[in-house]
Amino acid sequence: MNPYLNEDLVALGDQVRRFAAARIAPGYQERDRTRVLDRALMKAMGDMGFIAPELPEEFGGLGMGSLAAGVIHEEVARADLSISYINLLASLNGQILCHHGRPDVVRPWLSRLTRGEALLAIALTEPRGGSDAANLRLQIERIGDEYVVNGEKTSISAADQADAAVVFGRTGTPESGAHGVTALLVPMDLPGITRSRFDCHGQRAIGRGSIFFENVRVPVSHRLGEENKGFVQVMQGFDFSRALIGLQVLAVAGVALEETWAHVAERQAFGQPLSAFQGVSHPLAELETQVRAARLLCLQALWLKDNGAPHSAEAAMCKWWAPKLAYDAVHQCLLMFGHGGYDRGPMEQRLRDVLGFQIGDGTAQIMKTIIARARAGRAAVPA
């Protein structure tokens, strides 16, 4: 038990863990090889209420809060980090649609999302802009009752598998920066959209790729938030997803540590278990301590969100620390298994899977800048 999870949330986590062990974990390596996200599995998760449970009931959710989403998210990630992207994308995009979309437009999408019948991507990054996310080149031009979209988004999770995407583009002047960006809900079957997929190092079942827009016409009713204010309004949702990402990668580190403790307690060397050697047990003890502490930080960020308190700095702490820590933990665990860890298998795949989160969804440098601005003030930390 801990101060953030009551009995109901603990019971929810136990339920998800049983489901994940039986339905998700067995296909972990196969999905990495085939690079195919299991839609039947996604539907089963939706049937169980495991996708975006924090959304209001009127939009297909269960109204359970951010901590419930976090508990589910980490248990799915224990079994397969790529599958847990279903939860991550649903919670981030679901919140954006719920808060900023026209109800008659977004309600059918949210209903499909929570039932596990639709996968939504978030299309922000461009070839010339990653961390400088407000410096967008994709053009969105209003013509009558439609927006016409031209340009490219790249390094987009689920680019070739998503049914729709939240797309950010420039409606203002280049000089307007973040204040000239508009967000649209764009179905991926519209004419003029083509997609590609990269050969990524990890997270291969969800995949990443580019989305190309050529004179794609989107109804004005699909705008999310106000024109030219999409970036400022919608980016607030990333505090939520950054805390979820922390739990996501720490869950992977946690299961790796569990397996490694069992291995070093059983494996013999020089007439005693490997765990008898401080060079083995002490690094694992340090990582165990840090993983538990980082998890509490992530839960605190979600608790703050559920209680309507500021949590941007805490979410940024989760996002820079947890992915690095998770990679270090899984790396150390892999080494403890020797050549057995280096061979293609769960530990090697976990290492590949967690690495990407040190790149995407906000780099460590950007997260530390957010923390510094929260503590010293934006004027004292201009860039």
Side-chain angles (χ1 to χ4, degrees):
M1 297 293 292
N2 67 62
Y4 303 112
L5 302 182
N6 58 29
E7 291 183 2
D8 290 340
L9 289 172
V10 172
L12 174 63
D14 291 341
Q15 179 189 16
V16 182
R17 184 173 294 200
R18 290 192 296 271
F19 173 89
R23 298 291 303 275
I24 299 175
Y28 176 48
Q29 293 181 261
E30 179 63 20
R31 287 186 291 269
D32 182 70
R33 287 190 289 267
T34 62
R35 308 187 196 187
V36 175
L37 196 70
D38 189 338
R39 288 280 181 149
L41 182 56
M42 186 169 80
K43 180 65 168 65
M45 291 167 59
D47 291 341
M48 295 290 290
F50 293 161
I51 300 176
E54 73 280 3
L55 290 177
E57 293 184 27
E58 64 177 300
F59 289 112
L62 301 175
M64 294 181 69
S66 302
L67 277 167
V71 166
I72 293 171
H73 192 52
E74 63 180 345
E75 293 300 341
V76 173
R78 275 178 59 93
D80 186 338
L81 186 141
S82 276
I83 290 295
S84 69
Y85 253 101
I86 294 170
N87 304 86
L88 179 66
L89 292 173
S91 287
L92 176 57
N93 286 306
Q95 180 173 262
I96 292 171
L97 267 59
C98 177
H99 291 164
H100 301 290
R102 271 182 44 171
D104 60 316
V105 173
V106 302
R107 186 176 285 112
W109 281 104
L110 289 170
S111 180
R112 292 178 61 196
L113 191 75
T114 55
R115 293 199 307 263
E117 297 173 357
L119 182 67
L120 270 64
I122 186 154
L124 179 60
T125 302
E126 296 184 2
R128 294 180 180 85
S131 294
D132 188 6
N135 184 26
L136 301 181
R137 303 289 186 91
L138 182 133
Q139 291 296 313
I140 297 178
E141 180 185 4
R142 181 164 181 171
I143 301 178
D145 293 332
E146 294 179 316
Y147 286 108
V148 180
V149 184
N150 283 281
E152 176 187 354
K153 294 294 181 179
T154 194
S155 194
I156 307 303
S157 298
D160 67 329
Q161 304 195 74
D163 302 291
V166 174
V167 179
F168 295 82
R170 183 152 303 284
T171 43
T173 64
E175 294 74 25
S176 59
H179 298 283
V181 172
T182 298
L184 303 175
L185 171 62
V186 182
M188 288 291 99
D189 58 356
L190 292 180
I193 294 177
T194 56
R195 300 185 269 180
S196 68
R197 184 162 183 161
F198 305 154
D199 184 13
C200 283
H201 183 62
Q203 305 174 11
R204 291 156 75 91
I206 191 71
R208 281 183 175 79
S210 290
I211 307 175
F212 304 91
F213 302 85
E214 185 176 356
N215 295 320
V216 177
R217 293 183 172 271
V218 181
V220 170
S221 61
H222 282 52
R223 189 180 68 222
L224 302 170
E226 300 177 41
E227 187 166 292
N228 292 328
K229 296 183 179 180
F231 184 84
V232 177
Q233 291 176 329
V234 173
M235 284 296 286
Q236 296 170 359
F238 279 79
D239 289 342
F240 181 28
S241 63
R242 285 165 180 160
L244 291 179
I245 286 169
L247 291 176
Q248 186 178 18
V249 295
L250 292 171
V252 177
V255 70
L257 283 165
E258 289 173 14
E259 293 176 3
T260 305
W261 280 119
H263 171 71
V264 299
E266 179 182 344
R267 180 68 181 265
Q268 297 283 318
F270 304 102
Q272 53 188 332
L274 286 178
S275 55
F277 299 96
Q278 293 181 358
V280 171
S281 59
H282 283 193
L284 294 177
E286 290 178 9
L287 290 164
E288 185 80 35
T289 304
Q290 293 177 53
V291 166
R292 291 198 181 195
R295 179 175 183 257
L296 286 172
L297 175 64
C298 296
L299 293 174
Q300 182 196 41
L302 294 180
W303 180 87
L304 290 169
K305 176 177 170 56
D306 279 341
N307 285 273
H311 56 286
S312 293
E314 288 78 6
M317 294 173 191
C318 298
K319 178 57 184 66
W320 86 256
W321 185 27
K324 181 182 184 302
L325 174 59
Y327 185 85
D328 291 344
V330 178
H331 183 203
Q332 184 64 60
C333 290
L334 184 152
L335 296 177
M336 295 294 183
F337 277 87
H339 72 83
Y342 189 62
D343 290 345
R344 291 283 183 180
M347 200 67 75
E348 174 269 344
Q349 186 176 333
R350 291 178 188 132
L351 191 68
R352 289 189 287 110
D353 281 348
V354 299
L355 175 59
F357 278 118
Q358 293 189 57
I359 304 170
D361 299 270
T363 64
Q365 293 83 356
I366 295 296
M367 296 302 103
K368 292 173 185 179
T369 297
I370 292 172
I371 298 165
R373 285 174 173 173
R375 295 297 178 261
R378 189 180 184 93
V381 190

